[in-house]
């Protein structure tokens, strides 16, 4: 079965809009990657400053291939991030942790 990668980002309130705009600006950079299955950016509702970036992959190898190629360039930043040409933008998150899980069971809505 698939693997799930959850990037846990600590984002101060004043950086939330910046983080979300960066994800909008690079939308589609992962969608066509071999083995990619799903993406979600989860915004905290209350009581935490933690965003979750959820991706699901066919296999660990597919994730590693993306990280060593398109993943690196997607995380470098772009001028529309508010940075000067060639300058890497300041991170919006103050901390980041990557969690990995194997999907052992899944369910969707019943079709009927």
């Amino acid at each position: 079965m698939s693997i799930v990668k959850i990037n846990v980002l600590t984002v101060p309130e004043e950086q939330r809009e910046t983080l979300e705009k960066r994800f909008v600006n690079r939308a589609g950079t992962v969608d066509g990657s071999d083995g990619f299955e799903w993406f979600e950016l989860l915004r905290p509702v209350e009581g935490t400053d933690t965003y979750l970036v959820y991706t699901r992959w066919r296999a660990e190898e597919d994730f590693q291939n993306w990280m060593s190629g398109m993943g690196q360039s997607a995380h470098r930043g772009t001028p529309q991030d508010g940075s000067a040409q060639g300058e890497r933008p300041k991170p919006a998150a103050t901390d980041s942790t990557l969690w990995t899980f194997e999907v052992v069971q899944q369910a969707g809505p019943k079709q009927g």
Side-chain angles (χ1 to χ4, degrees), residues 5-17:
K5 298 289 184 172
I6 300 174
N7 196 356
V8 182
L9 303 174
T10 303
V11 182
E13 189 171 344
E14 65 274 9
Q15 291 292 334
R16 287 181 171 192
E17 185 177 347

Side-chain angles (χ1 to χ4, degrees), residues 60-82:
E60 177 70 24
E61 181 182 9
D62 296 315
F63 172 75
Q64 293 301 328
N65 289 339
W66 179 77
M67 281 298 294
S68 64
M70 289 298 294
Q72 283 184 348
S73 60
H75 289 91
R76 282 194 191 112
T78 60
Q80 62 260 46
D81 290 334

